[in-house]
Amino acid sequence: MSDQVAATPHLDALIIGAGFSGMYQLHCLRDRLGLSARVLEAADGVGGTWYWNRYPGARCDSESHSYSYYFSDELLEEWEWSERYPGQAEIMRYLNHVADKFDLKRDIQLGTRVSAARYDEAANLWHVETESGAGYSATYLITAVGCLSSANVPDIPGLDSFAGQWVHTGQWPHEGVDFTRKRVGQVGTGSTGIQAAPVIAETAGHLTVFQRTANYSVPARNAPLTEEFKRWCHEEHDEIRAVLQDTPNGHPFRIADRKVFDVSASERQEIYEKAWEKGGLQFRASFQDLLADKAANDTAAEFLKGKIREVIKDPETAAMLADIDHPYAAKRPPIDTGYFEAFNRDNVSLVDVRKNPIERITPKGIVTADGVEHELDVIVFATGFDAMTGALLKLGVTGRDGQSLADAWYAGPVTYLGLQSAGFPNMFTITGPGSPSVLCNMPVPIEQHVEWITDCIAHMRANGIARIEPEAEAADRWVAHVNEAANATLLPLAKHSWYLGANVPGKPRVFMPYAGGMKRYRDICDDIAAKGYEGFVLDGAAGDATAGDFAAADSADSPGI
Ligand code: NAP
């Protein structure tokens, strides 16, 4: 355990996780409300997802000036990003800078993995245990464990027998992996695999990419930031903040008002070409109906598939890469730096594991269903995460009447606003399932959740409220609304998406993030708080109002765009 903090038997608030969420939550509860608060963090450093995801090419897809905290003008004024998209190392420098600036590290206990959290109804306390056997109690338990932090290593027979080295991108060794002249197999072509492959290919002897679901990608067009842009960020951060908080997905760009079929085919082509040249996630914002209307989406999909065919020299490889089975952006759309171009290298090849699934791993490599043994020295699993619920369920949470969170969520997560679950009083989740979270530029929903939770706790303390939890009916209505919001978009059409839990065998297929848009979500949360925490039970008494319906999702507001 590093950065030791003297054990405290009781705290007002215990926060699990020291990424973007946990650090800001600590600052709010400790420095704004004056509570005793501590963060328990499994890693040996702050940074959350960026601490673990050190794979080659790891870089955020959000533009750096938006991938920042906006709560402190001073912080905004003093920090300067160097590139259009922040790389993993720069994000780590940023988060450490924040931790130092706000003197957070003295209350962050590193190297401490939580193994159980149990609600004690009589004492109205959470008892938390760690793997090292330490125990804590706290009035409020805030889970800040991230949506994409529980690595999904596929259960492939024979993995243990592999004579080479295997790694998961989400648990990348700090000392790095030397690919020089090695035969490398990369499984997975999501955002991570698409970032990693071209970088691995630069040093590997040979890289074989095992693709199950072909994916779209738009060039990131990363570049150093100009002095003029940096100055603009400093001068206009109020305006940038306003855009981030006003857009459905928390990105620093607005979604075009026009619809795909409002313009002629040639105008559309020109719009897509310009967006392609500009690069990045902004491509999704070219039209407002891309994620609402399949025919509209098809035009973007065809454009992007055409780009793949243009780039790839070998027709068979081009056909495999462009054989995409889902609407554009129905899975989280990757952006890349030279992904498709990498397949034109002599040392890169592609294997279609939809057609020939991986059957087993031998000491020598990966065997696919056609009987071919792909001999490898290193296997890189870019196979994603048990997203949104995995890390939460691993905490071993038990609520009122001994009910575990795993049991409460056996058919999929049931939350009210993604913030709380019935039966788990005073436990809050930052960017939990049922909140916009992963459909947005993450710092925006994180700041909104942290501030809502802070205000809620302040309200409780000011009004002598000992306990808060949702009414079961309010949570059920919220889950119905989350489904309704997703079904108003094309998002559920991607059958192999982690949004649905489909990437983890046996996981319930439930669309987990809230697709109604960040702006609408923020308004709903504010409205609920303003109405005396409508739909929550406060201190054993029912809230004075019952949660109404949350209004049908407006597809134009879809944050997937
Ligand atoms: P992912 O999107 O879940 O992709 C995992 C890949 O592994 C998919 O291609 C998947 O195929 C494949 N796969 C999984 N199990 C497999 C198996 N048993 N056999 C063959 N293939 C298998 O994971 P990710 O790429 O790590 O990205 C997860 C999320 O993290 C992203 O969507 C994004 O939100 C975030 N992320 C962000 C950034 C960034 O901002 N720069 C970078 C990386 C990741 P199927 O599609 O068929 O399941």
Side-chain angles (χ1 to χ4, degrees):
M1 214 186 274
S2 45
D3 276 22
Q4 293 285 348
V5 184
T8 310
H10 174 73
L11 295 146
D12 293 320
L14 201 57
I15 300 158
I16 308 175
F20 261 96
S21 328
M23 294 209 314
Y24 183 35
Q25 188 69 78
L26 172 63
H27 175 56
C28 286
L29 295 181
R30 188 192 68 182
D31 304 333
R32 292 191 190 156
L33 300 192
L35 304 190
S36 62
R38 181 177 297 184
V39 178
L40 304 182
E41 165 57 59
D44 286 327
V46 301
T49 195
W50 298 105
Y51 177 91
W52 301 103
N53 283 271
R54 294 164 186 253
Y55 59 86
R59 185 178 290 284
C60 186
D61 291 345
S62 294
E63 300 196 27
S64 52
H65 67 295
S66 67
Y67 199 72
S68 302
Y69 290 111
Y70 267 75
F71 69 83
S72 161
D73 284 351
E74 202 180 288
L75 176 61
L76 284 163
E77 271 146 35
E78 72 193 15
W79 184 261
E80 207 164 83
W81 294 104
S82 65
E83 294 175 271
R84 179 173 175 188
Y85 306 94
Q88 180 270 342
E90 191 169 23
I91 300 172
M92 285 295 284
R93 282 198 294 281
Y94 173 70
L95 290 173
N96 275 283
H97 169 77
V98 173
D100 293 336
K101 178 178 175 64
F102 296 100
D103 193 18
L104 300 176
K105 288 181 180 170
R106 70 184 153 93
D107 287 308
I108 298 176
Q109 188 162 316
L110 300 172
T112 305
R113 191 177 284 281
V114 168
S115 54
R118 182 175 56 82
Y119 178 65
D120 173 346
E121 184 158 19
N124 188 32
L125 286 177
W126 281 92
H127 297 298
V128 173
E129 283 167 28
T130 70
E131 274 183 358
S132 63
Y136 306 87
S137 68
T139 305
Y140 312 104
L141 177 67
I142 294 120
T143 62
V145 292
C147 301
L148 296 158
S149 46
S150 176
N152 171 41
V153 179
D155 186 13
I156 303 172
L159 177 57
D160 288 349
S161 73
F162 183 54
Q165 181 185 9
W166 69 263
V167 279
H168 187 281
T169 48
Q171 296 170 335
W172 202 258
H174 282 218
E175 65 279 13
V177 180
D178 181 9
F179 296 112
T180 317
R181 289 185 290 279
K182 298 213 172 119
R183 297 163 302 174
V184 183
Q186 178 186 299
V187 184
T189 55
S191 300
T192 301
I194 281 177
Q195 285 188 332
V199 184
I200 295 174
E202 280 169 19
T203 55
H206 190 90
L207 171 66
T208 307
V209 176
F210 295 84
Q211 169 188 280
R212 190 164 68 181
T213 304
N215 223 333
Y216 303 94
S217 185
V218 171
R221 309 216 187 274
N222 187 36
L225 292 177
T226 62
E227 290 309 313
E228 190 190 354
F229 186 83
K230 291 180 195 172
R231 209 168 31 252
W232 176 78
C233 291
H234 287 309
E235 285 165 5
E236 301 296 339
H237 53 69
D238 286 344
E239 194 184 310
I240 300 167
R241 183 194 290 111
V243 174
L244 295 175
Q245 297 198 347
D246 197 45
T247 51
N249 50 20
H251 282 289
F253 47 79
R254 298 205 183 263
I255 294 165
D257 274 341
R258 64 187 167 225
K259 291 188 171 182
V260 163
F261 297 112
D262 288 347
V263 301
S264 69
S266 63
E267 279 174 284
R268 197 155 52 237
Q269 187 70 8
E270 206 178 306
I271 289 166
Y272 284 144
E273 285 291 354
K274 273 198 188 137
W276 174 266
E277 281 313 315
K278 191 168 176 58
L281 292 173
Q282 209 160 336
F283 188 89
R284 293 181 297 183
S286 306
F287 295 98
Q288 58 128 305
D289 54 346
L290 281 181
L291 257 188
D293 175 349
K294 175 71 168 57
N297 190 288
D298 285 347
T299 66
E302 273 318 305
F303 176 88
L304 294 171
K305 289 176 186 176
K307 287 290 182 192
I308 299 172
R309 293 186 201 104
E310 259 173 44
V311 169
I312 307 293
K313 292 189 183 133
D314 172 50
E316 208 183 317
T317 307
M320 274 195 268
L321 288 166
D323 184 17
I324 306 175
D325 66 356
H326 53 278
Y328 168 63
K331 292 177 86 161
R332 156 71 153 74
I335 62 174
D336 71 278
T337 301
Y339 175 64
F340 294 115
E341 290 80 355
F343 290 94
N344 290 333
R345 297 174 65 115
D346 292 338
N347 70 335
V348 178
S349 52
L350 184 66
V351 173
D352 181 348
V353 294
R354 170 87 60 214
K355 200 159 121 202
N356 286 302
I358 295 173
E359 279 206 331
R360 61 185 194 282
I361 293 177
T362 65
K364 285 188 185 165
I366 290 180
V367 178
T368 42
D370 52 4
V372 176
E373 182 169 42
H374 303 268
E375 294 194 10
L376 301 167
D377 302 306
V378 184
I379 301 175
V380 173
F381 288 109
T383 45
F385 303 90
D386 182 355
M388 306 208 69
T389 54
L392 285 168
L393 295 176
K394 278 187 187 162
L395 296 174
V397 175
T398 308
R400 202 170 348 87
D401 304 325
Q403 188 187 34
S404 70
L405 192 62
D407 281 347
W409 289 5
Y410 76 97
V414 183
T415 71
Y416 187 38
L417 305 171
L419 281 160
Q420 279 209 304
S421 285
F424 300 84
N426 294 350
M427 176 175 133
F428 299 89
T429 296
I430 302 174
T431 63
S435 73
S437 60
V438 292
L439 296 178
C440 302
N441 168 37
M442 285 304 287
V444 176
I446 285 171
E447 284 194 329
Q448 185 265 346
H449 261 191
V450 167
E451 287 162 11
W452 193 96
I453 292 167
T454 305
D455 290 347
C456 175
I457 291 176
H459 172 84
M460 291 171 73
R461 296 177 81 82
N463 292 283
I465 296 162
R467 257 188 302 269
I468 184 167
E469 67 172 296
E471 295 166 4
E473 298 73 24
D476 288 344
R477 270 196 300 279
W478 181 252
V479 171
H481 178 60
V482 170
N483 283 320
E484 184 186 34
N487 289 333
T489 72
L490 305 178
L491 291 165
L493 297 187
K495 299 290 174 220
H496 303 288
S497 151
W498 59 259
Y499 293 156
L500 274 168
N503 62 326
V504 176
K507 189 166 172 169
R509 303 274 167 115
V510 175
F511 195 86
M512 293 180 285
Y514 175 58
M518 188 59 216
K519 167 85 168 70
R520 163 173 304 180
Y521 175 81
R522 182 190 300 275
D523 290 347
I524 292 171
C525 290
D526 289 349
D527 188 48
I528 283 170
K531 288 178 179 158
Y533 293 90
E534 181 184 71
F536 288 93
V537 181
L538 303 176
D539 201 18
D544 54 2
T546 303
D549 72 17
F550 304 100
D554 172 359
S555 53
D557 240 14
S558 166
I561 297 178

